[in-house]
Amino acid sequence: MSNYHIKHLEEYWQVYRKSVRKPENFWEEIAEEHFLWRIKWEKVLEWDFSKPEVTWYKGAKLNITENCIDRHLTTRANKTAILFEPNDPKEKAQHISYKELHKRVCKFANVLKSKGIEKGDRVCIYLPMIPELAVSVLACARIGAIHSVVFAGFSASALAIRINDCDCKMVICSDGSYRGAKTIDLKVIVDQALETCPGVETNLMINRTGGEVTMKEGRDTWIQPLLDTASADCEATIVDAEDPLFILYTSGSTGKPKGMVHTTAGYMVYTGYTFKNVFQYRENDVYWCTADIGWITGHSYIVYGPLANGATTVMFEGVPSYPDCGRFWEIVEKHKVTQFYTAPTAIRALAKEKLDYVDKHDLSSLKVLGTVGEPINEEAWHWYNDHVGKRKSPIADTWWQTETGGIMISPIPYSTPTIPTFATLPLPGIQPALMDGQGNELKENQVEGRLTIKFPWPSMARTIYGNHDRYRETYFSTFKNMYFTGDGARRDAVGYYRITGRVDDVIIVSGHNLGTAPIEDAINEHPAVAESAIVGFPHDIKGNALYGYITLKETGEVRDQDNLRNEINQLITDKIGPIAKLNKIQFTNGLPKTRSGKIMRRILRKIAEKDTSNLGDTSTLLNPEVVQDIMDNAI
Ligand code: PRX
């Protein structure tokens, strides 16, 4: 029986049972067999969810880049590590070998050191999907600096909040980025952000678009001349198992994003293990995850998981619709991609296009398909299965989160069943539980409840940067001694899990995790706005879209409502980014509130979903009269 490449359902159960009976032995075996350690651990696991404190591989010493790069140099030096496919199909793809990657990472790391970056310093990376993004992440890890990648679609103020929250000393950005037919001036956004970031000493710039930029003396430096003269040798800094590897921000139920802190050894072991298992990765495969490295999916399953296995990982700079809606399939054919991992929202968008876009490409190289980020609806699942996988490539519907670091619940292709809309079974080592509203575990099958995890796993986030209390409050206080995911789930008659969606104030729009609070905060800054409430409603491509109920201040002034809608969406774009724009904006005379003043979002959600048959008893509200008015004017 192998922990990897599990071959059938029975074997899965054997491995699973072993993994939960003696989790320490299980994770010790995997760490021993598949990774490189400078010093081994004294103890595999120590944990206490009440604090919460979790320590994996205590006392071990390592460097993750030695696992992801150096150790492959003996057998895979000339193998492609990163296969870069540019936005413009006419620009040549780059095949970056492990040897070349080693050189680039070492040079980059030496430049970081020359600019004063040391172990433990935070470095913010704000880059498009170009090889330098992966290289800079790895260069930080090489010297024990903590990277904080911010998705390059975030606005200047969202970037500034993230830079300041973890006191980044350095920013790494590019002059601009290409996205389909558009060129975006990233440097302008960074300049604006840095106006309010006094702690940033250096801004290292990568030339991608060649656009005109203003350089600030003493702060901004082009990196290329520094790389040209930097040494290609850089000794890896040896870090402790529990030293932070990176911070990645995710939305929360207050305006401030949460900087999830991931540490080194457990994250490496778990992403390495799950990558190989879930994608059934074999030596000469070409693996492609279409996510952006600005999100956790890219961290774990473009960079660290694949490279820890010596895989070839594709990085795509562009968008699925450029130059036409066949781009994904053209790339699959061109590079003979074997594993393809994407988001349901992309599948839904492409499924709306002519089938010819898919059919004209040879997709026979594909062996495994994956989805991530949001529930996949039945129709999209079948389209993916029929037209992309040709019913011969199992679909891994992978459920996980920024906080979990790696895939938690997912089919293991060719071994456990796949069922449309079901993430199915927990991976080895993962112990999910469903809870009712009173805090009792629902132990039977055919139940629905809140999804929690009962036992630690190696890649779980250890804290929220600078705010351990918030970490405990958010994840460990709803249910005693359990990690609460914020998701609801159903377990069917045979024990397979189906994720039903968020049960908190987070809305998943096009696979992006958006908190309602930061959006409402942005809207409320508009001088005409008194208050606002955001809810999600079903959207056939985005999964969910945003509906804003906005009450205006009574100034007696008559405003053009369409203008106001545009101003509000512009404000959201400036404060957060275009991904958080509202699809619908309804101006209301008031928002339904409980007597304690809490906005009744449930009612607003139902109205947005056009499901007003059972709004429940509204008579106990502080202001029941507004409900009818909102219903009458719903969009
Ligand atoms: O609601 C779940 C949804 O995405 C949330 C996590 O978002 P984020 O931290 O941005 O990470 C996304 C990439 C891992 C979850 O709480 N989600 C993620 N995967 C699935 C999913 N919902 C249903 N099915 C999935 N496969």
Side-chain angles (χ1 to χ4, degrees), residues 397-428:
D397 175 351
T398 64
W399 173 83
W400 57 296
Q401 309 177 297
T402 304
E403 295 85 338
T404 69
I407 300 168
M408 302 288 278
I409 303 182
S410 168
I412 298 178
Y414 299 104
S415 131
T416 68
T418 63
I419 308 164
T421 78
F422 279 75
T424 69
L425 293 165
L427 293 184

Side-chain angles (χ1 to χ4, degrees), residues 125 127 129 133 137 147-155 158 162 179 246-251 262 267 289-304 343 372-373 400-403 405 509-514 576-577 579-580:
I125 303 174
L127 284 175
M129 280 287 284
L133 173 49
V137 157
H147 56 80
S148 166
V149 182
V150 176
F151 172 60
F154 274 116
S155 70
R162 288 158 176 77
R179 279 189 77 72
F246 65 88
I247 299 167
L248 186 61
Y249 286 86
T250 188
S251 330
H262 282 283
Y267 177 81
C289 165
T290 71
D292 192 292
I293 295 175
W295 310 115
I296 190 70
T297 308
H299 281 61
S300 304
Y301 298 110
I302 296 179
V303 182
Y304 290 112
V372 58
W400 57 296
Q401 309 177 297
T402 304
E403 295 85 338
V509 178
S510 299
H512 299 312
N513 194 334
L514 299 172
I576 300 164
I579 49 176

Side-chain angles (χ1 to χ4, degrees), residues 4 18 107 200 211 240 275 277 306 312 369 381 389 441 493 579:
Y4 287 92
K18 180 176 87 166
K107 278 178 167 271
V200 173
D240 192 85
F275 171 76
N277 235 343
T312 298
L369 300 178
W381 193 97
E441 182 175 346
I579 49 176

Side-chain angles (χ1 to χ4, degrees), residues 354-365:
K354 285 183 302 200
L355 256 185
D356 188 48
Y357 282 127
V358 193
D359 288 346
K360 73 177 176 205
H361 293 288
D362 176 5
L363 305 183
S364 59
S365 55

Side-chain angles (χ1 to χ4, degrees), residues 228-470:
D228 290 343
T229 53
S231 156
D233 287 321
C234 177
E235 177 88 16
T237 300
I238 300 310
V239 307
D240 192 85
E242 284 292 342
D243 276 337
L245 173 64
F246 65 88
I247 299 167
L248 186 61
Y249 286 86
T250 188
S251 330
S253 55
T254 72
K256 204 169 172 217
K258 298 174 292 200
M260 305 311 306
V261 177
H262 282 283
T263 58
T264 308
Y267 177 81
M268 172 183 81
V269 169
Y270 194 78
T271 54
Y273 173 67
T274 50
F275 171 76
K276 193 162 177 184
N277 235 343
V278 172
F279 298 105
Q280 291 291 297
Y281 171 76
R282 308 272 165 169
E283 182 62 36
N284 292 315
D285 288 346
V286 176
Y287 162 88
W288 179 20
C289 165
T290 71
D292 192 292
I293 295 175
W295 310 115
I296 190 70
T297 308
H299 281 61
S300 304
Y301 298 110
I302 296 179
V303 182
Y304 290 112
L307 297 179
N309 283 282
T312 298
T313 177
V314 176
M315 261 184 92
F316 174 45
E317 182 184 27
V319 294
S321 54
Y322 180 82
D324 65 40
C325 291
R327 186 71 193 276
F328 273 1
W329 322 124
E330 185 227 317
I331 297 172
V332 168
E333 178 175 8
K334 178 175 171 189
H335 297 302
K336 299 199 170 37
V337 170
T338 44
Q339 286 92 351
F340 179 74
Y341 190 29
T342 197
T345 189
I347 299 169
R348 286 191 295 265
L350 295 173
K352 285 214 168 320
E353 302 297 328
K354 285 183 302 200
L355 256 185
D356 188 48
Y357 282 127
V358 193
D359 288 346
K360 73 177 176 205
H361 293 288
D362 176 5
L363 305 183
S364 59
S365 55
L366 288 172
K367 297 192 291 190
V368 171
L369 300 178
T371 70
V372 58
E374 55 183 319
I376 181 162
N377 49 309
E378 190 125 11
E379 210 186 335
W381 193 97
H382 283 295
W383 185 88
Y384 198 31
N385 190 38
D386 292 351
H387 300 293
V388 180
K390 319 288 183 201
R391 300 193 186 191
K392 66 166 185 58
S393 303
I395 299 174
D397 175 351
T398 64
W399 173 83
W400 57 296
Q401 309 177 297
T402 304
E403 295 85 338
T404 69
I407 300 168
M408 302 288 278
I409 303 182
S410 168
I412 298 178
Y414 299 104
S415 131
T416 68
T418 63
I419 308 164
T421 78
F422 279 75
T424 69
L425 293 165
L427 293 184
I430 302 305
Q431 302 190 33
L434 295 180
M435 308 297 290
D436 70 13
Q438 282 71 51
N440 306 308
E441 182 175 346
L442 301 162
K443 296 209 163 138
E444 312 297 308
N445 281 344
Q446 278 189 303
V447 288
E448 185 163 340
R450 280 146 198 245
L451 179 62
T452 63
I453 313 288
K454 290 202 274 196
F455 194 86
W457 64 100
S459 65
M460 62 191 293
R462 302 293 195 263
T463 190
I464 291 174
Y465 189 86
N467 199 343
H468 199 66
D469 286 346
R470 186 175 183 197

